[in-house]
Amino acid sequence: MDYIDPHIHMVSRTTDDYETLARMGCVAVSEPAFWAGFDRGSVDSFRDYFRQLTETEPARAAQFGIQHFTWLCINAKEAENVTLSREVIAMIPEFIEKSNVLGIGEIGLNKNTKNEATIFLEHMELAIKYQQQILIHTPHLDDKYQGTRMILDMLNDQRLERSRVLVDHVEEHTIRHVLDAGYWAGMTLYPVTKCTPQRAADMIEKYGTERLMANSAGDWGPSKPTAIPDLIFELRRRGHSNKLIHKVVYENPREFFSQSKNFKLTSR
Amino acid sequence: MPQTKSEVLQETYLATRAKILEVAAILDRIDLAKSSDGPIEDDPRFQKIRQAIDVLIKEAGDTSRAEQIQLLFSRPYDAKWTESFQLMPRK
C-alpha cells in the first residue's frame, strides 16, 4: 500500500533507508527541521542545515522515487537560546520559496520554559506573515500534557486556520484536546518516549480517522523508519479495511499537505 | 470493531503476561537492591508506579486506563501560565 510519512528526519538516516522505504510503499516524506543531537553554534549552521533539507535530501529521495518535502524552524530545544533563535527566524525567509518547503516546523515546546514559549510565538508570527502551514512538536513524557495544553493556548489566535496546523506526537492524554480544538493530530510510532503501532491503532478505533495521521519520526535515536508499515500491518490484522488504512496513511497526509502551494504529489 | 474481547485476549495474552512479569521482576530487583538514602517508598517515582498499578486493576470508567496512567506521570497544567510567564497569546 502506498503511504506518506508525514514526519521523519531523513538527514539522520542512510541512503539505504530511502531504498527500504521505497520498497515498503513510501511515496513521499515530510521532514521538519529538528534538533541534531547537539546545540548548533550559529545561524550559519542552520543555513547549511536548511540547504541540506531543501537541496540534498530531495535529491537523495528522488533516487528511489520518493518525493521529499520539508519544514523550517529552530527546534524547541535550541529555542532556549533566544538570541540565536531570532537570528534563525530572520533567516528562514531566504528558504521559504524553495520548491519543497511546506511551512514552519517542527516548532513546539521541550521543557515548557518561557524562552521556548516566546520563540514559539515568534515562529507563529512568521507563519502568519508568510501564510505558511505549521507543524508542531509536543514535548516528551512527563512534559507532554502540560506542554500540549500550553501550545493549544498559544495557537488560540483568530489569524490562524486550524485546519492548516498539525499537532504531532499526540498520545492518549492529549489527542482528544487536539482534535476537539479542530487541529490535525499526528501519532508518532517511536519506542519508549512515544507510541506503539498497537496504541495508535487503539486511538484510531476510539477517535476515528478524521484529521488523524501517523508517522515514524525516524531519526538518529533508536527508531524505526518503517513504523508506518507496522501500523498498516496491525490495522489489517485487526480486520480493518484497506479504505480505512489508506485514509490514515495516505489520504489524510495528502489532504493536509495539499494546503501548501509547494505540495505537488506525483500520482502513481 | 472487527475483533471480539476473546479474540483480543487470545492475541495479546502472552505479551501481557510477559510485560506484567517484567514489571514484577523490576519490583523484585528493587526489593533486593541495597538500601539508598531513605526508604524507597518515599520516592515519588516509586509512589507513581504503585498508583499506576492500582489504575491497571480497577475498572476503566470514563477515562481509559492508558489516559489515566499518562496523566499520572505528567506534570500538571496551570491555566494561568501565561500570567506567570508574562506572555499574552492573542485571541
Side-chain angles (χ1 to χ4, degrees):
Chain A
M1 174 181 288
D2 285 353
Y3 75 90
I4 297 168
D5 195 329
H7 187 142
I8 186 168
H9 301 290
M10 295 306 294
V11 294
S12 60
R13 309 299 306 198
T14 67
T15 305
D16 288 351
D17 280 342
Y18 275 116
E19 179 175 5
T20 301
L21 292 180
R23 288 178 184 276
M24 296 191 84
C26 183
V27 299
V29 295
S30 149
E31 177 164 6
F34 81 141
W35 186 57
F38 64 97
D39 289 351
R40 297 176 180 92
S42 71
V43 65
D44 285 333
S45 64
F46 277 90
R47 185 176 279 109
D48 284 344
Y49 175 42
F50 293 166
R51 281 188 53 219
Q52 189 177 15
L53 291 175
T54 57
E55 297 172 16
T56 308
E57 289 311 310
R60 271 208 313 159
Q63 293 176 60
F64 302 97
I66 295 175
Q67 290 183 260
H68 179 278
F69 301 95
T70 197
W71 304 71
L72 307 173
C73 76
I74 179 166
N75 61 85
K77 191 171 186 310
E78 289 173 285
E80 191 60 29
N81 182 334
V82 173
T83 302
L84 174 61
S85 295
R86 285 176 172 156
E87 291 175 349
V88 174
I89 289 173
M91 183 264 293
I92 285 173
E94 293 176 25
F95 290 86
I96 265 188
E97 295 302 320
K98 296 291 185 181
S99 62
N100 71 328
V101 173
L102 298 183
I104 304 301
E106 48 174 316
I107 63 173
L109 298 176
N110 180 43
K111 302 306 288 182
N112 308 335
T113 68
K114 180 178 176 180
N115 285 350
E116 292 170 11
T118 298
I119 295 304
F120 181 92
L121 287 168
E122 293 184 16
H123 274 109
M124 263 180 60
E125 289 299 327
L126 182 73
I128 290 167
K129 178 180 177 181
Y130 286 91
Q131 300 176 307
Q132 296 290 308
Q133 288 197 260
I134 301 176
L135 192 158
I136 292 170
H137 164 100
T138 56
H140 302 153
L141 300 169
D142 293 10
D143 301 307
K144 181 176 292 296
Y145 178 72
Q146 183 191 72
T148 300
R149 296 291 304 270
M150 290 168 66
I151 285 166
L152 294 177
D153 288 342
M154 290 189 283
L155 288 173
N156 189 14
D157 187 317
Q158 290 179 350
R159 296 173 298 164
L160 276 183
E161 281 184 63
R162 297 188 178 201
S163 63
R164 300 187 79 220
V165 177
L166 169 60
V167 180
D168 233 327
H169 314 322
V170 299
E171 293 184 41
E172 289 89 347
H173 53 330
T174 59
I175 183 172
R176 179 172 50 84
H177 294 279
V178 172
L179 291 176
D180 284 354
Y183 302 104
W184 285 79
M187 301 174 292
T188 300
L189 313 175
Y190 193 98
V192 181
T193 59
K194 298 184 186 69
C195 204
T196 63
Q198 291 74 25
R199 283 166 52 207
D202 292 340
M203 284 189 274
I204 290 167
E205 290 172 350
K206 182 169 182 177
Y207 293 100
T209 58
E210 291 308 305
R211 284 183 284 115
L212 192 56
M213 302 184 227
N215 63 77
S216 69
D219 64 7
W220 43 261
S223 51
K224 193 173 182 187
T226 55
I228 293 180
D230 288 347
L231 175 63
I232 293 171
F233 181 76
E234 176 65 17
L235 290 168
R236 281 209 178 114
R237 200 188 56 75
R238 295 188 187 194
H240 290 290
S241 66
N242 274 352
K243 181 179 178 184
L244 178 147
I245 299 170
H246 195 246
K247 179 166 171 59
V248 174
V249 304
Y250 183 91
E251 290 298 334
N252 280 354
R254 187 192 59 78
E255 179 183 344
F256 176 72
F257 295 140
S258 293
Q259 299 176 93
S260 293
K261 65 177 174 60
N262 285 342
F263 186 74
K264 297 177 178 62
L265 189 65
T266 305
S267 300
R268 304 212 298 196
Chain B
M1 207 77 68
Q3 289 183 302
T4 66
K5 293 184 199 298
S6 292
E7 287 168 342
V8 175
L9 180 61
Q10 173 69 26
E11 286 173 0
T12 59
Y13 174 71
L14 286 180
T16 306
R17 179 185 181 279
K19 289 176 183 179
I20 291 173
L21 187 55
E22 190 65 36
V23 173
I26 289 169
L27 293 176
D28 287 342
R29 212 171 297 148
I30 291 174
D31 281 347
L32 289 173
K34 66 179 183 180
S35 297
S36 43
D37 297 333
I40 196 68
E41 289 78 9
D42 291 348
D43 191 315
R45 296 169 300 174
F46 191 77
Q47 292 170 359
K48 283 189 179 178
I49 287 172
R50 298 196 71 156
Q51 289 167 24
I53 293 169
D54 282 342
V55 170
L56 289 178
I57 59 177
K58 287 180 182 168
E59 291 296 319
D62 292 337
T63 308
S64 70
R65 292 182 189 83
E67 184 174 351
Q68 288 180 55
I69 289 175
Q70 289 273 25
L71 289 170
L72 182 66
F73 286 107
S74 295
R75 289 167 64 191
Y77 163 71
D78 173 14
K80 295 182 180 177
W81 69 272
T82 54
E83 292 175 24
S84 58
F85 280 10
Q86 296 179 323
L87 286 175
M88 298 300 293
R90 290 136 308 264
K91 295 291 181 187

